[in-house]
């Protein structure tokens, strides 16, 4: 099972997380660390780390950074991570940095600037709808307003990264453009910028597949006279079809912009651990361990139907109905907050605020 920054194999339910963590050289979050974080998804989803214990003990606090590659609309897996980041901001009074790897989407995906800016606008509203504190949050947009300090950090980081290290870490071949090879230096600059600016270490909540960027940054940080960043690694939330959740395959994900009809249809078609007939399932029970509906109910809404599933008391239609109800309510509320968030856009990003006339459909809707 391969887990890498540009490739995660399809069967996410088959990932041996303990083995991957061991192979990566990270550590599992133990009981004492979980207690300090005190979050319902630790350690079930946010399960491993690098140096989290040391960074939590830092008397001057720490910053949190979590980036977004704005290629498409955000889905519920993204929302989960940014809600966790907001939780860390509140619990530890931490300054949060939200860098957008918009430039990387041009390099690695061949997207156009116009599209990436539109998605940055949309994705930032999704983040702001979660309620980040404008006094303790900095949004970083490479294509619109790359800071001189970030560029300088990227150049310094690049001077300590060899091409062979980057190629080995990310599996790049010579036919990939030179910008993609350089991009780990930009990622390192994003991650190290809070430390350079505030003088405190940084924690990066990040998907397991992106850990390699933190690892590369940790290698160069001491050479740049900066504290090594730590991270909190998350497991993959499975996609609706049972494999990987992917923005580029709409059938695998529920997007924050989905309508109630789309949500209902997607959940109706979701992969479950049910049996072919209702009769069989009532007799033998279903399998929640492979069931996407079970996982979403538990992770996103804290509802555990394991007993009812195993005993055959509930059939898949019952669970899907409950999930549809909760998901619709959550996303309708989120979409309402997005409309509100657009009013405060300039507080977080004056540059994206200037694009309101072009992309600002939420404001127009709210004014109707
Ligand atoms: Fe999943 Fe519910 Fe069906 Fe069990 S009964 S397999 S939990 S949808």
């Amino acid at each position: 099972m391969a887990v890498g920054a540009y490739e995660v194999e399809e069967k996410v339910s088959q990932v041996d997380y303990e083995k991957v963590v061991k192979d990566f050289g990270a550590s599992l979050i133990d009981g004492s660390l979980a207690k300090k974080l005190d979050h319902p998804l630790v350690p079930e989803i946010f399960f491993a780390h690098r140096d989290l214990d040391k960074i939590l003990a830092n008397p001057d606090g720490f910053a949190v950074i979590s980036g977004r590659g704005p290629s498409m609309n955000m889905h519920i897996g993204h929302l989960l991570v940014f809600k966790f980041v907001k939780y860390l901001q509140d619990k530890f009074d931490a300054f949060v940095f939200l860098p957008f790897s918009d430039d990387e989407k041009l390099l690695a995906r061949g997207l156009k600037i116009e599209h990436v800016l539109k998605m940055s606008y949309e994705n930032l509203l999704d983040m702001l709808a979660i309620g980040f504190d404008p006094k303790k949050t900095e949004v970083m947009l490479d294509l619109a307003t790359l800071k001189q300090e970030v560029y300088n950090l990227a150049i310094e980081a690049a001077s300590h990264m060899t091409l062979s290290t980057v190629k080995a870490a990310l599996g790049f071949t010579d036919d990939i453009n030179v910008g993609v090879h350089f991009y780990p230096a930009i990622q390192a600059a994003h991650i190290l910028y809070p430390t350079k600016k505030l003088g405190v270490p940084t924690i990066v909540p990040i998907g397991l597949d992106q850990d390699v960027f933190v690892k590369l940054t940790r290698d160069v940080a001491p050479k740049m006279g900066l504290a090594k960043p730590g991270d909190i690694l998350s497991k993959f939330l499975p996609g609706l079809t049972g494999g990987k959740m992917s923005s580029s395959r709409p059938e695998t994900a529920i997007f924050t912009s989905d309508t109630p009809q789309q949500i209902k249809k997607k959940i109706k078609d979701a992969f479950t651990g049910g049996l072919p007939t209702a009769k069989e399932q009532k007799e033998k029970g279903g399998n929640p361990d492979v069931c996407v509906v079970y996982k979403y109910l538990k992770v996103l809404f804290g509802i555990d139907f394991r007993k009812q599933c195993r005993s055959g008391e509930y059939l898949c239609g019952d669970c899907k109905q409950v999930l549809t109800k909760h998901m619709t309510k959550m996303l309708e509320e989120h979409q309402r907050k997005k409309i509100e968030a657009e009013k405060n856009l300039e507080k977080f990003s004056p540059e994206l605020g200037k694009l309101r006339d072009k992309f600002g459909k939420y404001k127009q809707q709210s004014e109707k």
Side-chain angles (χ1 to χ4, degrees):
M1 169 78 216
V3 176
Y6 289 91
E7 185 188 4
V8 178
E9 282 183 12
E10 192 55 26
K11 299 274 179 230
V12 294
S13 62
Q14 291 175 10
V15 177
D16 181 343
Y17 285 105
E18 290 204 15
K19 182 175 180 307
V20 175
V21 164
K22 205 170 158 207
D23 292 349
F24 281 15
S27 309
L28 292 173
I29 290 181
D30 62 16
S32 127
L33 261 182
K35 210 168 164 188
K36 282 181 191 154
L37 289 176
D38 189 26
H39 186 277
L41 296 182
V42 176
E44 187 177 356
I45 295 292
F46 300 100
F47 76 112
H49 74 100
R50 291 181 191 277
D51 283 352
L52 178 63
D53 44 350
K54 286 187 203 153
I55 292 176
L56 285 183
N58 186 44
D60 298 324
F62 58 90
V64 180
I65 178 171
S66 191
R68 168 75 192 136
S71 57
M72 303 285 280
N73 279 316
M74 277 172 47
H75 57 55
I76 52 168
H78 301 128
L79 205 57
L80 190 74
V81 173
F82 286 107
K83 282 186 174 180
F84 182 64
V85 172
K86 165 70 166 62
Y87 170 84
L88 295 175
Q89 178 172 68
D90 293 345
K91 180 163 179 67
F92 297 100
D93 195 24
F95 209 103
V96 164
F97 292 79
L98 301 171
F100 280 58
S101 300
D102 45 12
D103 40 0
E104 192 248 4
K105 295 300 159 202
L106 271 65
L107 296 168
R109 301 274 293 272
L111 299 178
K112 301 285 176 227
I113 287 191
E114 178 76 3
H115 173 79
V116 172
L117 281 176
K118 185 174 189 296
M119 285 298 113
S120 296
Y121 189 97
E122 198 66 28
N123 291 180
L124 181 57
L125 291 185
D126 275 312
M127 294 179 189
L128 302 189
I130 295 168
F132 286 104
D133 177 353
K135 294 194 190 75
K136 295 186 80 72
T137 306
E138 182 170 334
V139 175
M140 300 155 68
L141 298 158
D142 289 352
L143 288 175
T145 55
L146 182 69
K147 284 181 191 307
Q148 187 69 56
E149 298 92 319
V150 175
Y151 177 73
N152 291 3
L153 280 170
I155 293 300
E156 201 181 343
S159 76
H160 298 295
M161 276 181 198
T162 64
L163 185 59
S164 57
T165 302
V166 169
K167 283 169 76 173
L170 292 151
F172 292 160
T173 47
D174 287 349
D175 55 345
I176 297 174
N177 72 59
V178 68
V180 173
H181 286 87
F182 175 69
Y183 207 75
I186 301 266
Q187 297 276 31
H190 286 164
I191 294 170
L192 294 173
Y193 171 67
T195 299
K196 182 86 179 169
K197 180 173 177 174
L198 302 177
V200 293
T202 304
I203 281 286
V204 192
I206 199 164
L208 188 60
D209 54 329
Q210 301 294 305
D211 173 65
V212 60
F213 290 110
V214 179
K215 210 172 163 196
L216 286 169
T217 306
R218 284 169 61 85
D219 289 345
V220 297
K223 295 171 189 160
M224 297 164 68
L226 295 169
K228 283 186 180 186
D231 62 14
I232 301 177
L233 299 169
S234 69
K235 294 181 183 175
F236 305 111
L237 194 62
L240 288 160
T241 51
K244 192 191 169 202
M245 190 184 292
S246 167
S247 295
S248 54
R249 288 170 50 217
E251 73 279 11
T252 66
I254 294 175
F255 293 92
T256 59
S257 54
D258 278 352
T259 63
Q261 292 73 25
Q262 286 171 315
I263 296 167
K264 190 174 174 187
K265 164 104 181 51
K266 285 182 178 180
I267 293 176
K268 184 170 165 281
D269 296 340
F271 181 79
T272 70
L275 293 178
T277 67
K279 184 171 175 293
E280 252 183 289
Q281 195 166 333
K282 276 182 189 162
E283 284 166 14
K284 297 178 187 164
N287 181 2
D289 294 330
V290 298
C291 177
V292 171
V293 175
Y294 173 81
K295 191 81 178 171
Y296 286 10
L297 279 168
K298 184 141 189 290
V299 168
L300 298 169
F301 305 106
I303 297 170
D304 191 342
F305 283 158
R306 175 171 292 274
K307 224 172 90 196
Q308 294 87 334
C309 172
R310 284 275 187 221
S311 68
E313 182 191 345
Y314 281 11
L315 296 181
C316 297
D318 301 319
C319 297
K320 286 179 174 179
Q321 213 176 9
V322 176
L323 180 60
T324 303
K325 190 180 98 189
H326 284 276
M327 190 73 78
T328 305
K329 188 165 176 253
M330 177 180 85
L331 290 181
E332 280 183 342
E333 176 72 1
H334 178 78
Q335 289 163 12
R336 191 187 61 70
K337 285 183 179 163
K338 251 175 116 167
I339 294 171
E340 288 301 308
E342 194 172 46
K343 294 175 190 161
N344 294 320
L345 190 58
E346 280 80 358
K347 285 187 192 165
F348 293 88
S349 173
E351 302 74 26
L352 287 185
K354 285 179 200 152
L355 300 177
R356 188 191 302 275
D357 287 345
K358 212 168 186 178
F359 304 132
K361 62 180 189 273
Y362 295 103
K363 182 165 182 282
Q364 288 157 21
Q365 277 175 6
S366 66
E367 285 174 348
K368 276 179 191 167

